[in-house]
Structure formats: structure tokens, C-alpha cells
């Protein structure tokens, strides 16, 4: 009955998230928006790692494709509606994930990881080299879009817009993504993925079409990450090839492992915490990579189940009630 | 005709350096089944150590020919670092799923990247006097730096030496036995922990050697490790993870394609390399020389 307990905890969390822009500094709200956007990406990523048992080292590709598709739509089609930008991001990332997925899902373990990495680098090198299309390392600027047809008023503060209207916009998409992912992993499809993760051969025996299921999981995973990329662009105001480099894929992996990839909420918690941690580290020292690296190494050695795994262990210890 | 020769020499130059990096990566994977994401940073570490050591001695009383030998400080430094890293960070993880090994080497990559910046600062180190000191050779109308030829020779010697080491020595037999079947080797009395640390150290030595020999030509710059890692990946994926012949053939292929790419289609040079790796994986998942 862990599920019901989790559902009870969700109400207060949503309430806190909803009133936050009225009680904290705009900067904090914007920072949290970044965290929520990354949480959508990590949630999508974990459908592969946590539920299907496939470690992708190339998810920056789908995030970046989502972001660049939105930026292209602004630059070349002069689209200003956020909904259409999201549509562009989702469609583009779905297309790329569908094609890459066809190639990748035939492999598992280390080969899957390297193949996803290599393919994501193809996208990166194209964005990097075709600078007359993508702006190269300068990237593409994305101005403040219209939300539901309403544009930001002339002379209105962009920070205020991001901290209020855009925050709620992101929050709605975040909550919807969580709900959809929850349904997916608890559906027969989600159970089939877990069967594939635990024992591919047996899953095949009971009639699961392994490659087909993996491909669909890959596609869904890519779309979630692409949606996150498209939501991220107006927040950042700019997209550069940096989000396509495989180091960013590594950060998505890092978030998920830090939160705990064996739990549903792990990637969400990990993404938000990682975003704070990275912002703090970047502001505090130029050697933030060193800091994050030490955190990651410590986590892997000492706390492999992540934050949520630790929480689960602690709460069991306190209750002293063995799991039925 | 001269330009063709120059292109061939340039391809061999890339291939020589790539073989040293990718060969080390492949050796480590072959023996320990670990894909070391920090391998490129060990290459960078070797480059920085070599540049720094030579920089201390250059202009001093040390005769110039000796300075080329001092470059060896790079591979020795990288090997020493490897000898420390394997027992402390990697050994605790052999019993865990391989995801954790990828993660810890990713963490190590971040740490080494900044550690290099912390030790040597953000500016490139260069020892171009060693590069210029060798002069250049004339091929008809074209001239070619002698140092580049030396790099090709070192790459060739390293490949031959490694082959002899692995196929002609007692240690090579133990190494191959361990990579074939770790438990069986252990049952036959092989000290697997020792073999692992030796293999890892040897792999790091090769990466460091690669770093040290490019230093006179390119200098030691931040970020060189990550770039090299991705290219080394392409090489081992094409050649087959864990196969030294594969690393050699892969390095030659990547060397040629890169040279052609830089000359004729610079925009898609990198994309073509990654696609090449992806295509090889599709046709032969284990790579051209891999066993799986």
C-alpha cells in the first residue's frame, strides 16, 4: 500500500509548489522552474534506466532536439505561441527518438550506452558545425513566447513573467508529465518493461515482444525529454550546443541516480536537488565540476540507492514494521 | 603526388595518437570489462605532466635530445595515477552492475577535468621548441615536420611493443587468461587483483604516452581529454571493444576518414565519424575484431 501513502503526500507538495511564487524571491521560483523542467527529462530518462534497464548516455540529444526545434520554429517560422513551440519540440524529439530507437534497442548494457552516446554526438556535431543554420556556439535566441495566446505586455519585467506566469505553465506540464508517467509505469505496458529489465528471456517466453516494447519505451522517454527541452528554452532565453554535448547526458544520469533510479519519485527529487547543487557549486567555486564529481563518486560508493532509497531505508528503520 | 603523401602521413599521425589512447581504453575493457569514461582525462593528464616537466627543464642546462626523453614523465605520471585509482575507486565496484562503473568513471572524468585546471591553471601549456627543434623534411615541393614523423614511429613502435608484450611474454599470457575467464584464472592461482591493477596502469600509461607525444605539436589544453575520449570510443567501437588489433585498424580507419573529412567536407567530419561507428555497430555489434 505504499502507493496510497505516496498519493496522500502528493497533495501538500502540490499546494506548496502552487503558493511558492507568492512567498519566495522571483529568483528562487525561476531556479525551481529549471529543476522542474529537468525533472521531466529525468522522469523520461528513468523509464529506460529504472524500468527497462537500459542506461542511455545520449539523452542530451532529445533534450537538445526539443530545444532547437522550438528555437527553429521561432527563428524560421516566426512562431510566438508557446503551445506551438512545444508541439514542434515534441514532434522533432519523437522523430529523432523513433529513428535512433530503431537502431539502439537491439542492444543492451554497454553497447546500448555507447551507441546512444555516439548518435547523440552526431546531433551535437551537426548543431556545432552548421552554424549558418544553428548559430554555432553562439546558439539561437528565443524571445518570450505567448502563453495560451496571451503575450507578455510591453515593458513588463521578464523576470516577473518567468517567476509567475511561466512558472505555473511549467508546473502544469510537470504535474501532467508526472501523472502520465505514473499511469505508464503502472500499466501492463510498464509491467512488461520491468519484466524485460528483470529477465529478457523469460519476458519473451510469456509473449512480450522485447524489441518492440523497448522501442516504444525509447520513444516515450525521448518525447518526455524533448518536451523538457522545449520548456527549457524560453526559461533560458537561448539554446547552445552545450545542451547537446554528452556531458549533459551525464548530468541527466547523475540527477536520476542521485534521486534513486529504483523509485518513481527518485528522478524528480534528484533533478531538483541536482539543479540547486549545481547552481550553488557554480556560484561558489570555478571548480564546480570537481565538487560535483566528488559528490557523484561518493554517492556511487556510499549511497547507491540514492536519496529516495535512503529515505525508504530510514522510514523503515523508524517504523520497525517489516514490509509485507 | 606530394599532397597525397602528405595526406597519408597526416592520417598516420592521427592514427598513431588515437591508437595509443584507444588501445589503452580497449586493453582496460578487455581485461576488466570497464569502459573508463575518464580515460581521455588520463591522456590529458599525461600531456600536462609532460608539458610541465619539460617546461621546467627547457632553457636550462639539459641538452635538447634529453628533453625528448623527459616527455616520458607524462606516461609515467598517468600510470602512477592509474595505479592509485584502480584499487581505491574501481575495485569496490566489481560486484555491482556495470552502470555504477560507468557512473564512477564519469564522476572521475569531472574530477580530473577540474583537477588539471586547479594544478596547471586555465591556460594551455606548450613546449613547441621540441616541435620546432626537429625541423622539417622536403618531399618534392612540400615540406613536412620531422616531429610528426617521429610521432608516427613512436605509435608504430608502441603497437609492436604492446603486441609483443601481450602475445610473447608470461605477463601477456596471464593477462589474456584473466580476460578470457577471470574465475578460472583465479582458480589457477592468478592474483586477479594484481593483474587488474597492472592492466589498468598499463592502459593509463598508453593514454599518457599519447598525451605526451602530442604536446610538442599541439600543446596541453583544457578539454583535450573529452574530445580524445569520444574519438577513442569511435575507434574501439569500430575495431571491437577489448581487441588490440581492432584498436589498430579502427585508429587507421578513423585517421584516414578524419584527414579526408578535414580536407574535403569539414562540416560533417565529426558526424561522419560517429555515423561510421553506429553503422559498424549495426552490422557487427561486437566491432570488426570483437568476439561476442
Amino acid at each position: 500500500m505504499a502507493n496510497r501513502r505516496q498519493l496522500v503526500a502528493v497533495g501538500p507538495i502540490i499546494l506548496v509548489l502552487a503558493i511558492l511564487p507568492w512567498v519566495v524571491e522571483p529568483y528562487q521560483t525561476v531556479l525551481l522552474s529549471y529543476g522542474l523542467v529537468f525533472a521531466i527529462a529525468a522522469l523520461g530518462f528513468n523509464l529506460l534506466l529504472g524500468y527497462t534497464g537500459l542506461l542511455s548516455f545520449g539523452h542530451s540529444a532529445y533534450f537538445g532536439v526539443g530545444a532547437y526545434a522550438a528555437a527553429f520554429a521561432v527563428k524560421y517560422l516566426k512562431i510566438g505561441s508557446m503551445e506551438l513551440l512545444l508541439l514542434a519540440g515534441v514532434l522533432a524529439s519523437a522523430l529523432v527518438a523513433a529513428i535512433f530507437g530503431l537502431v539502439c534497442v537491439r542492444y543492451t548494457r554497454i553497447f546500448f550506452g555507447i551507441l546512444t552516446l555516439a548518435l547523440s554526438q552526431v546531433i551535437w556535431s551537426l548543431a556545432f558545425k552548421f552554424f549558418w543554420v544553428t548559430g554555432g556556439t553562439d546558439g539561437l535566441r528565443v524571445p518570450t513566447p505567448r502563453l495560451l495566446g496571451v503575450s507578455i505586455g510591453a515593458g513588463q519585467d521578464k523576470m516577473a513573467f518567468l517567476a509567475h506566469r511561466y512558472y505555473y505553465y511549467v508546473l502544469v506540464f510537470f504535474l501532467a508529465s508526472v501523472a502520465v508517467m505514473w499511469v505508464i509505469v503502472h500499466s501492463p505496458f510498464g509491467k512488461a518493461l520491468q519484466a524485460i529489465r528483470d529477465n529478457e528471456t523469460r519476458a519473451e517466453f510469456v509473449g512480450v515482444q522485447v524489441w518492440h516494447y523497448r522501442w516504444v519505451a525509447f520513444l516515450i522517454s525521448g518525447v518526455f525529454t524533448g518536451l523538457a527541452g522545449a520548456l527549457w528554452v524560453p526559461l533560458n532565453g537561448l539554446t547552445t550546443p552545450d545542451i547537446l554535448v554528452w556531458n549533459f547526458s551525464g548530468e541527466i544520469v547523475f540527477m536520476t541516480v542521485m534521486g534513486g533510479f529504483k523509485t518513481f519519485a527518485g528522478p524528480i527529487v534528484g533533478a531538483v536537488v541536482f539543479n540547486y547543487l549545481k547552481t550553488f557549486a557554480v556560484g561558489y567555486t570555478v571548480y564546480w565540476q570537481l565538487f560535483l564529481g566528488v559528490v557523484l563518486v561518493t554517492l556511487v560508493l556510499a549511497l547507491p540507492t540514492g536519496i529516495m532509497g535512503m529515505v525508504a531505508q530510514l522510514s523503515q528503520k523508524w517504523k520497525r514494521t517489516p514490509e509485507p | 603526388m606530394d599532397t597525397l603523401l602528405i595526406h597519408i602521413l597526416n592520417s598516420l599521425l592521427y592514427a598513431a595518437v588515437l591508437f595509443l589512447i584507444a588501445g589503452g581504453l580497449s586493453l582496460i575493457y578487455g581485461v576488466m570489462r570497464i569502459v573508463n569514461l575518464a580515460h581521455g582525462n588520463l591522456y590529458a593528464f599525461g600531456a600536462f605532466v609532460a608539458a610541465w616537466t619539460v617546461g621546467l627543464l627547457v632553457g636550462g642546462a639539459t641538452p635538447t635530445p634529453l628533453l625528448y626523453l623527459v616527455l616520458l614523465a607524462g606516461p609515467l605520471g598517468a600510470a602512477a595515477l592509474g595505479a592509485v585509482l584502480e584499487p581505491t575507486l574501481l575495485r569496490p565496484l566489481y560486484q555491482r552492475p556495470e552502470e555504477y562503473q560507468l557512473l564512477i568513471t564519469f564522476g572521475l572524468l569531472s574530477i580530473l577535468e577540474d583537477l588539471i585546471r586547479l594544478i596547471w591553471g586555465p591556460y594551455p601549456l606548450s613546449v613547441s621548441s621540441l616541435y620546432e627543434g626537429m625541423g622539417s623534411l622536403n618531399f618534392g615541393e612540400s615540406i613536412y615536420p620531422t616531429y610528426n614523423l617521429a610521432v608516427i614511429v613512436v605509435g608504430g613502435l608502441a603497437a609492436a611493443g604492446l603486441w609483443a608484450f601481450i602475445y610473447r611474454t608470461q605477463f601477456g599470457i596471464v593477462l589474456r587468461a584473466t580476460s578470457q575467464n577471470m574465475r578460472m584464472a583465479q582458480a589457477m592461482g592468478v592474483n586477479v587483483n594484481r593483474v587488474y591493477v597492472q592492466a589498468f596502469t598499463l592502459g593509463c600509461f598508453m593514454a599518457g604516452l599519447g598525451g605526451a607525444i602530442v604536446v610538442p605539436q599541439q600543446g596541453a589544453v583544457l578539454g583535450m581529454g573529452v574530445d580524445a575520449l569520444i574519438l577513442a570510443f569511435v575507434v574501439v567501437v569500430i575495431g571491437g571493444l577489448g581487441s588490440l588489433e581492432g584498436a589498430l585498424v579502427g585508429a587507421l580507419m578513423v585517421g584516414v576518414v578524419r584527414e579526408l573529412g578535414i580536407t574535403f567536407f569539414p562540416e560533417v567530419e565529426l558526424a561522419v565519424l560517429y555515423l561510421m561507428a553506429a553503422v559498424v555497430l549495426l552490422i557487427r555489434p561486437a566491432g570488426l575484431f570483437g568476439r561476442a
Side-chain angles (χ1 to χ4, degrees), chain B residues 1 34 63 66 75 86-87 97 101 121 139 174 194 207 220 235 242 271 281 291:
Chain B
M1 204 55 215
I34 281 188
L66 213 60
E86 195 275 339
Q101 294 159 9
F139 295 112
V174 172
R194 203 167 70 199
V235 169
L281 261 183
R291 319 154 303 212

Side-chain angles (χ1 to χ4, degrees), chain A residues 92-177:
Chain A
S93 56
L95 182 70
V96 175
I99 296 169
F100 283 8
L102 277 181
V103 179
C104 294
V105 297
R106 297 166 58 183
Y107 304 98
T108 54
R109 300 156 69 89
I110 231 82
F111 285 108
F112 179 84
I114 294 180
L115 197 52
T116 49
L117 197 160
L119 288 173
S120 79
Q121 287 301 104
V122 173
I123 303 267
W124 166 76
S125 72
L126 294 178
F128 184 67
K129 296 263 179 146
F130 284 89
F131 54 87
W132 56 90
V133 185
T134 62
T137 44
D138 293 340
L140 292 176
R141 220 175 67 78
V142 175
T144 315
R146 290 195 304 277
L147 306 183
L148 300 167
V150 185
S151 58
I152 176 174
Q156 211 194 325
D157 184 13
K158 187 169 178 186
M159 189 73 176
F161 166 81
L162 289 178
H164 276 261
R165 293 231 307 272
Y166 198 70
Y167 169 79
Y168 284 113
Y169 199 80
V170 168
L171 184 60
V172 167
F173 274 96
F174 166 73
L175 293 174
S177 303

Side-chain angles (χ1 to χ4, degrees), chain B residues 165-213:
Chain B
F165 192 54
I166 286 174
Y167 291 99
R168 289 286 180 269
T169 64
Q170 185 73 32
F171 174 74
I173 293 173
V174 172
L175 201 67
R176 280 182 289 143
T178 313
S179 82
Q180 288 278 335
N181 192 329
M182 186 267 266
R183 281 169 207 286
M184 185 54 91
Q186 202 161 24
M188 303 295 268
V190 170
N191 184 341
V192 169
N193 275 348
R194 203 167 70 199
V195 173
Y196 274 16
V197 75
Q198 285 163 341
F200 196 78
T201 307
L202 182 58
C204 292
F205 181 88
M206 287 178 69
L209 185 58
I213 61 172

Side-chain angles (χ1 to χ4, degrees), chain A residues 228-244:
Chain A
L231 277 171
W232 171 84
V233 170
L235 201 55
N236 204 51
L238 176 78
T239 175
T240 62
D242 279 358
I243 49 155
L244 282 164

